[in-house]
Amino acid sequence: MRAESFNPYHVEKKSLQQEKNGSSKLTRAETANRYVEEKGETIDFGRRKFIAGLLATGATAAIGGKAIETVLEMTKSDDSSAAKTESMPAPETKAERLEKEEVAYVPEDDLTDEEISQIKNLLDFDAPIELNMEKYSLLERSWKNKYSDFSLYKKEFDSAYARMEKYKQELSAYFSKCGVPYEFVYLSIPESYAKSKALSHMKARGPYQFTEETAVDYGLKINGKVDERTDFLKSGKACARFLKDLFKELGDWTLALHAYNGGFSRRYAKKAKAGNEIPSEEGFLEYMEKDIEAIRQEIHAANHIDYKVAEGNTLSGIAKKYSVSYDKLRQYNGIRDPRRLQIGQNIKIPLTAANREFVYNKKVSGRLENIHYGPKCNAAFELVREKRNEMKNTA
C-alpha cells in the first residue's frame, strides 16, 4: 500500500559543491542534509564515495540477520558519556519538515479560537480522543483556507492547477470511463502539487505518489531505464483504476481516499462488514477514535513499548528515534554488545515523563495524517469545482 504524501516545498538552494566553494562552511549534518535534498533520496551508507567525502567513523547495523559494520557520522553528547553513533534514517529533509508544518499550520481566518484549538489538539495526549463529523468538517474548512487564502499554499495550489491543464481532458475522460468522479483527477494536487518527479521520504514517486509495489500491481513499468510513476498520464490512469477498486471494496468515495493514503479505512471496513455494518465516514471516525484512544491509554499506563529491530537499525538510532538515552536503552534491555542486533529482535523502549508524549505523537502520526487526508482532498476538490464554475461564468 501507499505511504505518506510528498510535500514539495523545496526552496531553491545553491548546489552542494557551490556551498563548499563558497565562504560559508557547512557542518557535517548540514552537508548530509543537503545531499539528501539534492539527490531526492535517503543516504545509502554503502556508497564508498559518499562515505569518504562526508562521514567517517563506525557503527553496526542489523542486516539480513547478521551484524555488519556500517560507516556513519559520530556525535558526542554534552555530558561526559562516550561518543555514540548516529544511524539511519537519514536526517530530516526540508520537504519532510514542511510536510509536518503543513498539517500543523491552522489558518485563523473564518475560524473561532475554539475551532482552532480543536484542530491543533485533535489527538491531544492529555485528553480523551473525540473524533466526529463536526471536527471532520472543521478540518476540511481549515484545508480550504490553506489552499485559498494563505499565500504559500495558495501559490502551490494555483501552480499545480495550472500544470494539470494539459492532462485534465484525457485523464477526466479516463476517470469517467472507470466510474471515478472527474475531480479525483486532481488528487495529484494534495499528493504532490502535480509534480512528476516528486519523491516522498517513503519512496512514493510521481504526481500520484505510487509506491513501487502498488505501481506494479496497476500496470506501471519500473526498471533500470524507465519509471512510469513519473509519467503523468500513465500514473493518472493507474490512479483511476486503483480508486475504482478501492470504491468497489469500500462503497464510499471518501473512504476510498483514506485508503489511497493508508490502510486504516480498509481495516475498518473489514471489521464493519464482519459485524454486518455498512462502512461509513462516521463509522470510520469512531473506529479511529477507539484505536487512537487505546494507544493513548496504553502509553500513559505502560512502563515500556516493544519495538522489533528492522534492517539497518542500530541501537543508537532506535534510542534517538524514541527520545531515550542510548545508555538507558542498552541497560533496560540488558544488551552487552549492541553490535549484534538481529532483524526481528524485540527491543523494549522505556517510557518516562520525558518521552511519553513524544512516543505517543510518533506512534499516531500516520493516523493523524490519514484523518486529515480525506478533508484535505475534499477541500482541494471543492476549490477545483469553484475554479471550473468561475471559468464557465466568465466564458
Side-chain angles (χ1 to χ4, degrees):
M1 281 300 298
R2 298 186 61 267
E4 296 180 29
S5 303
F6 171 81
N7 185 292
Y9 295 142
H10 285 288
V11 178
E12 289 295 327
K13 293 182 177 181
K14 295 179 181 178
S15 70
L16 186 60
Q17 191 60 44
Q18 286 173 322
E19 291 277 15
K20 288 181 178 179
N21 294 338
S23 58
S24 60
K25 184 177 180 181
L26 294 175
T27 66
R28 288 185 295 176
E30 290 171 333
T31 303
N33 203 34
R34 291 293 165 83
Y35 177 90
V36 172
E37 291 186 7
E38 289 187 19
K39 297 298 183 183
E41 59 185 316
T42 53
I43 298 173
D44 178 356
F45 290 97
R47 296 181 184 176
R48 293 179 180 272
K49 183 176 179 180
F50 179 78
I51 293 170
L54 299 179
L55 308 175
T57 60
T60 57
I63 297 182
K66 298 179 181 180
I68 67 168
E69 291 296 319
T70 305
V71 181
L72 303 168
E73 182 178 9
M74 184 78 79
T75 61
K76 294 184 178 181
S77 59
D78 292 333
D79 59 22
S80 59
S81 62
K84 301 177 181 64
T85 57
E86 297 290 332
S87 71
M88 296 169 63
E92 184 178 62
T93 67
K94 185 177 182 66
E96 291 171 53
R97 291 194 302 273
L98 285 170
E99 184 171 7
K100 294 177 182 177
E101 292 170 10
E102 185 185 39
V103 173
Y105 169 73
V106 179
E108 298 185 4
D109 293 346
D110 195 37
L111 295 174
T112 66
D113 290 343
E114 174 62 25
E115 289 172 333
I116 292 169
S117 177
Q118 286 184 44
I119 293 172
K120 289 184 175 180
N121 299 305
L122 189 66
L123 303 186
D124 189 359
F125 182 56
D126 293 319
I129 304 302
E130 183 180 354
L131 299 175
N132 52 48
M133 291 304 296
E134 182 180 349
K135 289 186 177 180
Y136 198 78
S137 298
L138 193 58
L139 291 177
E140 187 171 326
R141 282 174 55 202
S142 175
W143 277 104
K144 187 177 179 183
N145 286 351
K146 291 181 189 185
Y147 285 147
S148 58
D149 297 331
F150 186 60
S151 60
L152 177 61
Y153 302 105
K154 176 176 171 53
K155 180 180 178 181
E156 289 287 355
F157 184 94
D158 289 345
S159 296
Y161 185 82
R163 277 192 290 274
M164 291 291 298
E165 184 65 26
K166 61 181 177 181
Y167 306 111
K168 69 178 184 181
Q169 185 172 353
E170 183 172 345
L171 286 179
S172 292
Y174 190 85
F175 273 59
S176 178
K177 179 181 177 181
C178 292
V180 180
Y182 80 87
E183 61 262 34
F184 280 41
V185 168
Y186 292 88
L187 187 62
S188 61
I189 294 181
E191 279 292 329
S192 70
Y193 287 102
K195 294 185 178 180
S196 295
K197 295 183 179 180
L199 177 66
S200 80
H201 70 288
M202 295 298 290
K203 302 299 183 182
R205 188 183 292 274
Y208 291 94
Q209 288 292 279
F210 277 98
T211 60
E212 187 169 330
E213 180 181 358
T214 307
V216 172
D217 286 345
Y218 282 86
L220 297 178
K221 294 179 182 178
I222 302 174
N223 53 48
K225 295 182 179 180
V226 65
D227 188 338
E228 290 184 343
R229 291 178 294 176
T230 64
D231 184 303
F232 220 113
L233 292 175
K234 290 180 179 178
S235 63
K237 291 175 181 179
C239 172
R241 296 192 296 273
F242 188 19
L243 287 168
K244 176 183 178 181
D245 287 347
L246 290 173
F247 179 75
K248 183 178 180 181
E249 176 184 345
L250 302 171
D252 181 278
W253 283 116
T254 299
L255 292 181
L257 286 173
H258 283 285
Y260 192 90
N261 174 258
F264 301 106
S265 64
R266 300 179 87 173
R267 290 196 286 273
Y268 151 68
K270 184 177 180 180
K271 182 177 180 180
K273 290 176 181 178
N276 294 318
E277 296 178 13
I278 298 174
S280 65
E281 293 176 48
E282 294 89 342
F284 172 62
L285 290 176
E286 183 180 349
Y287 169 84
M288 293 296 279
E289 177 186 297
K290 291 178 179 178
D291 178 55
I292 296 167
E293 177 63 16
I295 294 171
R296 191 187 75 85
Q297 292 185 16
E298 176 190 0
I299 292 178
H300 265 291
N303 293 320
H304 68 264
I305 62 170
D306 293 323
Y307 177 85
K308 286 192 180 298
V309 175
E311 182 176 342
N313 283 163
T314 62
L315 194 66
S316 59
I318 297 170
K320 181 179 180 181
K321 181 177 181 179
Y322 288 99
S323 192
V324 62
S325 77
Y326 172 86
D327 287 335
K328 183 175 183 64
L329 184 62
R330 181 175 57 81
Q331 292 169 6
Y332 195 87
N333 287 274
I335 297 174
R336 294 185 177 182
D337 188 352
R339 296 172 300 177
R340 298 189 177 279
L341 290 183
Q342 302 292 314
I343 291 176
Q345 179 179 343
N346 187 64
I347 299 292
K348 291 180 172 61
I349 310 295
L351 297 175
T352 66
N355 77 339
R356 281 183 192 275
E357 186 169 3
F358 178 89
V359 171
Y360 166 75
N361 288 333
K362 192 169 191 69
K363 198 170 181 68
V364 302
S365 61
R367 291 166 171 82
L368 177 63
E369 184 199 351
N370 194 259
I371 291 167
H372 271 264
Y373 191 77
K376 178 181 181 179
C377 293
N378 286 330
F381 298 158
E382 185 175 347
L383 284 172
V384 166
R385 288 190 290 270
E386 290 178 4
K387 283 181 176 290
R388 286 169 63 96
N389 290 334
E390 288 174 8
M391 291 177 65
K392 289 179 181 178
N393 292 334
T394 57

